[in-house]
């Protein structure tokens, strides 16, 4: 299987920031997923270097456009190694290989009769480098830049894009996953309900000379989008290059939602006009927003990505981006939240699991991972099924471009391994020789589980995964998300050590101030909050007999009755509409130690793809019920007002299964 993925080529009128970093990291994660699955993968990124904005930016700095783009493009190229980006190629639209392909592509479209010369007048936004119609403006302003466009009337060349409107609608409808998530597919179809105007594809040299000359009229340069989009095939040596023949049939693009229209409408119609097959998927993500949380000086309105990676490590930064954002939706960035994720998921969950497991292997088996016990264990099949199910769910999430759900599956497994230590209590098993087979099984499973976790997190945290694999004395070239292979190649002869923690806990400002208070107040350090007399008063109050229970008023419930309702946090793993129902959605949720199906009447208020990854509150001990032939084991909580309905969700690092009280 081949796999080809691209980022947008980033416009060099600004330096790399969080938005660029997220798109690039997502593509690197997807590429690494396919590589560890054994697929032949190719990853392209680069820079877009023509247009009005480049000329203006260069003029502000007193430089030529060529000097300016060389500097900014170099910043992008230099940024990615610090984020462990493993792209195969980096293309610039000022390269000759790209210019040649643009000229040939435009000649082909022109010979098809899809380019004509005409005059057009419209509202031109220099920030967007495009004309807007009156209908598209918001209060007379550009909807993106909030400035009044300049009215320009000039002669230009146009692409007959409207000729392909019906064809494009049919293609999008016939291929439901062509544009994903579904919300953006629906947005494109909604846009295509209106007549599609032809696309202006040139700028006269009397106004702009910085661009690629039209092959059929050297008095004009190519409009930036008709130039830029072609990079996805020029980098592969279109039309007869070996890379193009090999990878283009497997192509997919990853973009932010602000450039949906050019990629979902301009680019497919251009390809169709040139007689080329289309890309397979267009993956569209939301925006990172900067909230009201306190920011350090290293974080600004766009967040310098590398400052966060340098401060906390590339793997921790990549993990936060993938764990925090549901692909397709907007998310909020704060350094405080990054630290919370680091301490909770990485230091506490994964880091502690590693240290505890290897410490017990050292203490109870001399540092060697025990062999698989010759005496079968009663839950061997259950263990194998869980590991195989984990990999299947992880694979399914990545295939659907949902890194957050993939990591959610892995962290449920990390939680399960931590609970295994608590429930099996190896320190107790070690006291009884007759329980040695069980102790060996538990230690072996923990080690195999850690190796499997390393393989599963490698796409997101390659450095950490490779160090985990190395400490387990496993060959790097054997890393694969395969439980059976992990068990087979596990080194059971070498003496292992836990080593230094992978993710030392980061002390927060609150923890630091608390330590300072204790240092200033020796009594507080000794006794904690309150003094001895206060504790004695509390104890005395607890010893007083309780008053007889009062009768429960009609329409109310007693505390004892309320306690019968078990409210728990659940994380949504998957969601789909129930056929023949506008209202019902089938949710697959995890409660930490188990998974179940809940059928909820929220279909008119939520799209299924918007639900995956959310932590919600459910009634966990409700008697199962059948809805549209599906067994529902629980009920989701939601607040309603008028015709709207909002799910009750949980913020913070509350793991699935936590009780709500």
């Amino acid at each position: 299987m081949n796999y080809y993925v691209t980022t947008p080529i980033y416009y060099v009128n600004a330096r790399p920031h969080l938005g660029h970093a997220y798109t690039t990291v997502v593509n690197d994660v997807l590429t690494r997923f396919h590589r560890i699955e054994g697929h032949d993968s190719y990853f392209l990124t680069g820079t877009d270097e023509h247009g009005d904005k480049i000329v203006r930016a260069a003029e502000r700095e007193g430089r030529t456009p060529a000097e300016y783009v060389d500097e900014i493009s170099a910043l992008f190229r230099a940024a990615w190694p610090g984020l462990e980006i493993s792209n195969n190629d980096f293309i610039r639209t000022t390269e000759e290989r790209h210019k040649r392909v643009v000229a040939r592509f435009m000649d082909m479209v022109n010979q098809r009769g899809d380019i004509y010369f005409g005059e057009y007048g419209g509202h031109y936004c220099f920030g967007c480098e495009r004309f807007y119609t009156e209908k598209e403006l918001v209060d007379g302003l550009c909807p993106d830049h909030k400035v009044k466009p300049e009215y320009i009337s000039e002669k230009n060349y146009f692409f007959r894009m409207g000729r392909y409107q019906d064809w494009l609608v049919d293609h999008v409808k016939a291929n439901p996953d062509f544009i994903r998530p579904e919300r953006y597919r629906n947005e494109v179809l909604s846009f295509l309900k209106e007549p599609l105007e032809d696309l202006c594809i040139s700028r006269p040299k009397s106004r702009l000379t910085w661009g690629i000359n039209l092959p059929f009229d050297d008095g004009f340069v190519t409009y930036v989008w008709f130039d830029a989009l072609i990079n996805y095939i020029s980098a592969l040596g279109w039309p007869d290059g070996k890379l193009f023949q090999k990878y283009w049939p497997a192509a997919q693009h990853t973009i932010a939602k602000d450039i949906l229209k050019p990629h979902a409408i301009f680019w497919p119609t251009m390809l169709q006009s040139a007689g080329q097959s289309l890309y397979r998927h267009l993956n569209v993500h939301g925006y990172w927003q900067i909230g009201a949380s306190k920011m350090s000086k290293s974080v600004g309105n766009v967040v310098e990505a590398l400052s966060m990676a340098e401060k906390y490590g590339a793997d921790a930064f990549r993990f936060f981006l993938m764990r925090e954002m549901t692909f397709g939706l907007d998310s909020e960035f704060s350094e405080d939240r990054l630290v919370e994720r680091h301490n909770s998921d990485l230091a506490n969950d994964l880091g502690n699991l590693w240290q505890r497991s290897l410490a017990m292997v050292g203490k109870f088996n001399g540092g060697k991972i025990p062999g698989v016990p010759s005496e079968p264990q009663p839950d061997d099949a259950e263990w194998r099924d869980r590991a195989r199910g984990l990999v299947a769910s992880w694979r399914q999430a990545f295939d659907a471009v949902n890194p957050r759900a993939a990591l959610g599956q892995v962290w449920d497994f990390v939680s399960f391994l931590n609970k295994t230590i608590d429930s099996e209590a190896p320190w107790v098993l070690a006291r009884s020789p007759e329980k040695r087979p069980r102790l060996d099984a538990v230690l072996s499973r923990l080690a195999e589980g850690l190796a499997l976790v390393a393989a599963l997190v490698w796409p997101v945290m390659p450095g950490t995964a490779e160090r985990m694999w190395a400490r387990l004395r496993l060959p790097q070239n054997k890393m694969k998300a395969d439980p059976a292979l992990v068990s087979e190649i596990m080194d059971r002869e070498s003496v292992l050590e836990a080593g230094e923690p992978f993710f030392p806990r980061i002390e927060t400002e609150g923890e630091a101030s608390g330590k300072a208070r204790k240092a200033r107040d020796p009594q507080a350090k000794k006794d904690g909050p309150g003094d001895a007399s206060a504790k004695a008063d509390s104890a005395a109050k607890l010893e007083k007999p309780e008053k007889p229970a009062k009768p429960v008023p009609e329409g109310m419930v007693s505390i004892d009755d309320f306690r019968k309702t078990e409210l728990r946090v659940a994380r949504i793993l998957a969601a789909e509409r129930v056929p023949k129902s506008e209202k019902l959605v089938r949710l697959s949720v995890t409660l930490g130690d188990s998974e179940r199906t809940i059928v909820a009447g929220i279909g008119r208020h939520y799209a299924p793809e918007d639900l995956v990854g959310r932590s919600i509150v459910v009634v966990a001990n409700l008697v199962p019920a059948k809805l549209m032939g599906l067994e529902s084991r629980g009920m989701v909580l939601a607040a309603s007002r008028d015709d709207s309905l909002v799910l009750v969700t949980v913020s913070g690092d509350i793991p699935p299964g936590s009780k709500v009280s």
Side-chain angles (χ1 to χ4, degrees):
M1 176 179 172
N2 295 334
Y3 178 76
Y4 173 48
V5 70
T6 72
T7 69
I9 47 172
Y10 301 120
Y11 208 41
V12 293
N13 66 322
R15 287 160 173 75
H17 58 66
L18 177 62
H20 303 124
Y22 176 75
T23 312
T24 312
V25 170
V26 164
N27 276 9
D28 185 71
V29 168
L30 294 173
T31 302
R32 288 179 184 272
F33 161 73
H34 283 277
R35 286 173 182 163
I36 201 171
E37 289 287 277
H39 304 156
D40 190 340
S41 304
Y42 201 84
F43 171 19
L44 173 71
T45 188
T47 47
D48 179 9
E49 303 179 14
H50 291 129
D52 286 309
K53 284 191 288 187
I54 302 303
V55 174
R56 293 187 175 198
E59 288 174 349
R60 284 195 298 270
E61 297 193 11
R63 314 179 73 179
T64 67
E67 291 171 337
Y68 177 80
V69 298
D70 283 348
E71 177 189 355
I72 304 300
S73 181
L75 292 178
F76 277 90
R77 190 188 292 269
W80 303 145
L83 290 176
E84 301 291 343
I85 303 302
S86 58
N87 54 294
N88 296 86
D89 195 3
F90 186 102
I91 190 166
R92 300 176 60 186
T93 56
T94 50
E95 295 178 42
E96 289 302 319
R97 60 168 173 163
H98 177 70
K99 293 178 181 179
R100 287 194 299 269
V101 170
V102 169
R104 185 169 180 177
F105 189 95
M106 295 194 75
D107 260 337
M108 187 173 290
V109 174
N110 188 38
Q111 291 169 14
R112 185 78 175 263
D114 284 340
I115 294 177
Y116 64 92
F117 191 68
E119 187 168 358
Y120 181 81
H123 304 279
Y124 189 77
C125 174
F126 284 90
C128 298
E129 299 206 62
R130 58 161 289 198
F131 287 99
Y132 280 96
T133 64
E134 290 281 358
K135 185 186 297 184
E136 291 176 308
L137 298 177
V138 178
D139 297 327
L141 304 178
C142 165
D144 288 334
H145 294 91
K146 312 302 179 188
V147 297
K148 185 176 181 179
E150 184 177 330
Y151 190 86
I152 294 178
S153 179
E154 62 187 15
K155 293 181 178 180
N156 266 310
Y157 285 89
F158 294 82
F159 168 54
R160 300 184 193 276
M161 193 162 61
R163 174 178 287 180
Y164 298 98
Q165 180 166 2
D166 292 341
W167 162 83
L168 182 57
V169 170
D170 291 342
H171 182 81
V172 173
K173 287 183 176 179
N175 297 273
D177 63 349
F178 178 60
I179 302 169
R180 53 189 187 178
E182 184 183 10
R183 62 190 296 139
Y184 297 109
R185 173 179 179 268
N186 294 339
E187 185 176 326
V188 170
L189 287 174
S190 177
F191 184 86
L192 289 171
K193 289 180 181 178
E194 298 292 328
L196 195 58
E197 294 185 353
D198 290 344
L199 180 66
C200 181
I201 63 168
S202 69
R203 297 292 182 266
K205 282 189 174 179
S206 59
R207 181 160 68 83
L208 178 68
T209 59
W210 181 246
I212 299 174
N213 289 341
L214 291 187
F216 41 81
D217 190 336
D218 62 7
F220 292 80
V221 295
T222 308
Y223 164 58
V224 64
W225 278 113
F226 222 84
D227 160 8
L229 291 164
I230 296 171
N231 91 90
Y232 302 130
I233 57 175
S234 67
L236 298 179
W238 177 85
D240 49 12
K242 291 182 179 179
L243 291 177
F244 179 78
Q245 301 298 327
K246 182 177 184 179
Y247 290 114
W248 182 248
Q252 47 187 292
H253 308 309
T254 304
I255 63 167
K257 63 183 182 181
D258 59 329
I259 50 176
L260 173 63
K261 184 178 177 181
H263 285 81
I265 296 177
F266 300 178
W267 184 221
T269 56
M270 289 164 58
L271 288 166
Q272 181 69 2
S273 174
Q276 301 301 310
S277 61
L278 302 193
Y279 53 84
R280 184 173 295 176
H281 299 298
L282 178 63
N283 308 312
V284 188
H285 67 76
Y287 293 149
W288 281 96
Q289 300 171 336
I290 307 302
S293 300
K294 182 181 179 182
M295 297 289 170
S296 71
K297 291 181 180 179
S298 60
V299 185
N301 287 335
V302 294
V303 184
E304 291 291 345
L306 288 183
S307 68
M308 294 291 96
E310 291 169 359
K311 186 172 182 179
Y312 298 107
D315 277 4
F317 180 68
R318 286 167 60 107
F319 175 81
F320 173 78
L321 296 183
M322 298 302 102
R323 188 84 159 102
E324 194 71 11
M325 177 179 272
T326 298
F327 193 88
L329 302 180
D330 294 345
S331 191
E332 185 172 296
F333 183 96
S334 77
E335 188 172 0
D336 292 343
R337 183 66 178 145
L338 190 157
V339 171
E340 287 176 14
R341 278 284 185 200
H342 179 284
N343 286 344
S344 175
D345 291 8
L346 299 179
N348 293 353
D349 293 344
L350 180 58
N352 283 345
L353 173 65
W354 176 273
Q355 295 294 329
R356 296 168 77 193
S357 299
L358 270 294
M360 287 186 293
V361 169
K363 184 173 183 179
F364 303 131
N365 206 55
K368 294 184 178 182
I369 299 168
V372 178
S374 57
E375 179 181 323
Q377 299 298 301
D379 58 346
D380 281 344
E382 182 182 342
W383 165 258
R384 288 192 297 270
D385 288 346
R386 187 177 193 108
R388 285 196 294 260
L390 163 67
V391 174
S393 298
W394 170 85
R395 189 173 287 134
Q396 184 180 30
F398 269 123
D399 284 339
V401 192
N402 196 340
R404 183 180 185 184
L407 286 174
Q409 294 289 337
V410 177
W411 251 252
D412 284 346
F413 187 64
V414 168
S415 176
F416 165 74
L417 293 176
N418 273 313
K419 289 179 180 177
T420 296
I421 295 175
D422 296 334
S423 61
E424 295 286 353
W427 51 91
V428 176
L429 295 175
R431 298 173 192 162
S432 305
E434 68 274 12
K435 293 183 179 179
R436 185 72 208 192
R438 185 61 182 177
L439 175 62
D440 287 348
V442 170
L443 295 180
S444 179
R445 289 176 183 178
L446 289 172
E448 290 179 15
L450 286 170
L452 182 58
V453 166
L456 295 173
V457 302
W458 181 77
V460 178
M461 299 190 293
T464 299
E466 289 165 11
R467 288 193 297 274
M468 290 176 70
W469 207 256
R471 289 192 198 178
L472 291 169
R473 305 289 196 273
L474 296 173
Q476 299 290 340
N477 62 353
K478 293 283 188 179
M479 185 182 288
K480 191 172 178 61
D482 182 345
L485 176 65
V486 166
S487 180
E488 178 185 329
I489 67 173
M490 185 62 65
D491 186 341
R492 304 181 191 274
E493 298 300 326
S494 300
V495 176
L496 308 181
E497 294 182 357
E500 293 296 317
F502 290 109
F503 297 100
R505 183 176 174 81
I506 299 170
E507 187 177 77
T508 64
E509 290 184 10
E511 291 169 339
S513 61
K515 286 183 179 180
R517 283 196 302 272
K518 286 185 177 181
R520 292 192 299 268
D521 186 355
Q523 186 62 32
K525 185 176 181 180
K526 180 178 179 181
D527 294 332
D531 56 23
S533 61
K535 293 180 180 179
D537 289 343
S538 298
K541 289 178 181 177
L542 290 173
E543 292 174 1
K544 292 181 181 179
E546 294 183 3
K547 295 180 180 179
K550 295 181 179 179
V552 179
E554 186 176 351
M556 303 186 75
V557 295
S558 69
I559 188 64
D560 291 333
D561 287 333
F562 176 77
R563 285 174 179 154
K564 295 176 183 177
T565 303
E566 184 182 336
L567 301 179
R568 296 177 67 184
V569 174
R571 180 180 293 130
I572 300 174
L573 305 176
E576 60 182 3
R577 293 192 182 279
V578 175
K580 300 180 181 180
S581 174
E582 295 181 0
K583 183 178 178 182
L584 298 180
V585 176
R586 178 180 180 177
L587 305 175
S588 296
V589 305
T590 176
L591 297 181
D593 56 355
S594 64
E595 295 179 10
R596 64 176 64 184
T597 295
I598 297 178
V599 181
I602 57 176
R604 292 173 183 161
H605 308 276
Y606 290 90
E609 66 270 16
D610 294 344
L611 294 167
V612 177
R614 295 197 183 203
S615 292
I616 60 174
V617 178
V618 303
V619 180
N621 60 340
L622 198 66
V623 176
K626 281 286 186 74
L627 296 170
M628 298 286 286
L630 300 173
E631 184 180 67
S632 179
R633 297 177 54 215
M635 180 175 67
V636 302
L637 298 190
S640 62
R641 180 182 179 184
D642 299 327
D643 292 329
S644 64
L645 184 147
V646 179
L647 287 172
V648 175
T649 57
V650 178
S651 60
D653 292 307
I654 307 298
S658 299
K659 289 187 176 181
V660 178
S661 58

